[in-house]
Amino acid sequence: MSNENENARQVLGAASGGYANSAFGRRRLVSFGIWLVLVLLFLFAFNAGWLDLAARSPAAFAFPLGILLLWVLVIAGSYLFARSKVSKTRDAYWRALREADPGALIAVADRALKGDVMPDVDAFRAQSRALAYALYGRGELAFEAMGSVDWSAKAPMIQALGLSAEAVTELLCRRAAPRAHDLARRARELASISGSFPGAAESNRYYETCLAAAAVLANEPAPKLSVLEASAADSRFPQRRLIASFALAIAAERAVDGERAARLRAFVREAAPHCAPLLLSEEEYAAPGAWSDARNSPALSPK
């Protein structure tokens, strides 16, 4: 079975099972239920002749119209609440990036997943922790977080989470850009899924960003700078934006575009002043002795 088909099966299975037990899944199912009730009410009103009644006697239609308006308000309220929660989590993550250690980032990610019993929540938690440690240059702790999960037992799209976290750790902590590029490429392949699934486009952008950033730092020919440009301009995803901005700064320095490199680095310093790997210049990143051995690598996929 191809990765895309296996991932589709995983998503559909989660949607009919454990997905419904997750906080995110419950919100989606409640919204779907509300919309379904609204559609059924409309069909009932149409078949019962309420619409004709409303045209002849608006006062007689006031009660059913009020019920419909109430449902609309409930839907709008649930949507705004969900958006507010996502926005608060994102803002908290940006604030945590200004702290001196990754503990605040991990706390934000853990709160977002607290009480969630969605399938593979252990993998999502391990990935979020590993990325937090990697941004701060704590490679050993990042690998330790990834090592807490049996990735081989997971579906391809879940294995891709671990591979991408390992790629970012290799990229930022070990500065092993060629290995990071290989890991990011394999992660993208494992995460392949039809674009018809919700969230597929954003998922693909994340993996493409990891791959493009690794390509720049590995000095691969023709890296996809347009992918990095889009991610560097998108404040909805802090990790993605920071990694893209760092890679673009390196690319700008190589192109002798000091003004652009300075702007990108000023943003990174302001947003994440204690994330040491993201503050490295091109010369510092490529400095002799910067690479460490790979004995403690989680080896999430075959070499």
Side-chain angles (χ1 to χ4, degrees):
M1 183 180 293
S2 68
N3 290 332
E4 183 169 325
N5 290 338
E6 176 65 16
N7 289 333
R9 189 187 65 80
Q10 169 78 5
V11 170
L12 292 174
S16 62
Y19 175 82
N21 295 320
S22 70
F24 177 77
R26 286 193 298 270
R27 289 195 297 270
R28 283 295 180 90
L29 290 175
V30 168
S31 296
F32 175 77
I34 291 172
W35 278 111
L36 179 60
V37 169
L38 276 176
V39 171
L40 292 176
L41 281 173
F42 175 81
L43 292 175
F44 175 79
F46 180 81
N47 291 327
W50 286 6
L51 300 183
D52 292 335
L53 177 63
R56 294 194 305 269
S57 178
F61 194 64
F63 179 73
L65 179 60
I67 295 297
L68 287 174
L69 288 176
L70 178 61
W71 278 107
V72 170
L73 290 174
V74 169
I75 289 174
S78 64
Y79 173 77
L80 291 174
F81 175 78
R83 288 293 298 269
S84 174
K85 186 174 182 180
V86 170
S87 179
K88 286 180 180 179
T89 298
R90 180 174 59 244
D91 291 345
Y93 201 94
W94 279 115
R95 289 194 300 271
L97 280 164
R98 296 190 177 93
E99 298 295 327
D101 64 71
L105 284 186
I106 292 172
V108 171
D110 283 351
R111 282 198 301 272
L113 293 170
K114 186 177 181 180
D116 218 327
V117 292
M118 66 186 292
D120 302 306
V121 69
D122 60 330
F124 286 96
R125 184 176 291 110
Q127 184 217 25
S128 66
R129 290 188 171 202
L131 288 176
Y133 285 129
L135 290 174
Y136 278 80
R138 311 285 181 84
E140 293 303 320
L141 291 176
F143 286 142
E144 183 180 323
M146 286 182 275
S148 66
V149 175
D150 180 9
W151 299 97
S152 64
K154 304 294 187 182
M157 65 186 300
I158 303 301
Q159 292 181 32
L161 293 175
L163 275 174
S164 67
E166 186 177 356
V168 172
T169 304
E170 292 283 357
L171 190 70
L172 298 182
C173 301
R174 289 193 172 137
R175 308 180 207 170
R179 173 160 169 76
H181 185 261
D182 181 54
L183 289 167
R185 176 183 53 78
R186 282 184 277 170
R188 184 188 60 178
E189 292 170 357
L190 284 171
S192 175
I193 191 169
S194 170
S196 61
F197 284 94
E202 290 302 337
S203 173
N204 184 61
R205 288 190 191 100
Y206 165 69
Y207 290 108
E208 288 287 353
T209 298
C210 290
L211 185 62
V216 167
L217 293 167
N219 216 6
E220 292 284 332
K224 293 184 178 180
L225 296 183
S226 60
V227 171
L228 297 176
E229 295 282 0
S231 293
D234 192 343
S235 63
R236 296 175 300 162
F237 305 98
Q239 300 159 340
R240 202 170 78 187
R241 187 178 186 187
L242 286 170
I243 292 170
S245 296
F246 170 59
L248 283 173
I250 295 289
E253 288 173 350
R254 288 176 181 163
V256 198
D257 188 348
E259 182 180 351
R260 175 160 174 72
R263 287 200 306 270
L264 289 162
R265 292 200 175 279
F267 161 70
V268 174
R269 280 195 302 272
E270 173 66 22
H274 302 285
C275 292
L278 299 176
L279 305 178
L280 296 171
S281 66
E282 181 191 7
E283 293 78 9
E284 291 169 333
Y285 187 85
W291 297 27
S292 64
D293 61 54
R295 286 177 298 174
N296 295 323
S297 172
L300 299 178
S301 65
K303 302 290 191 227

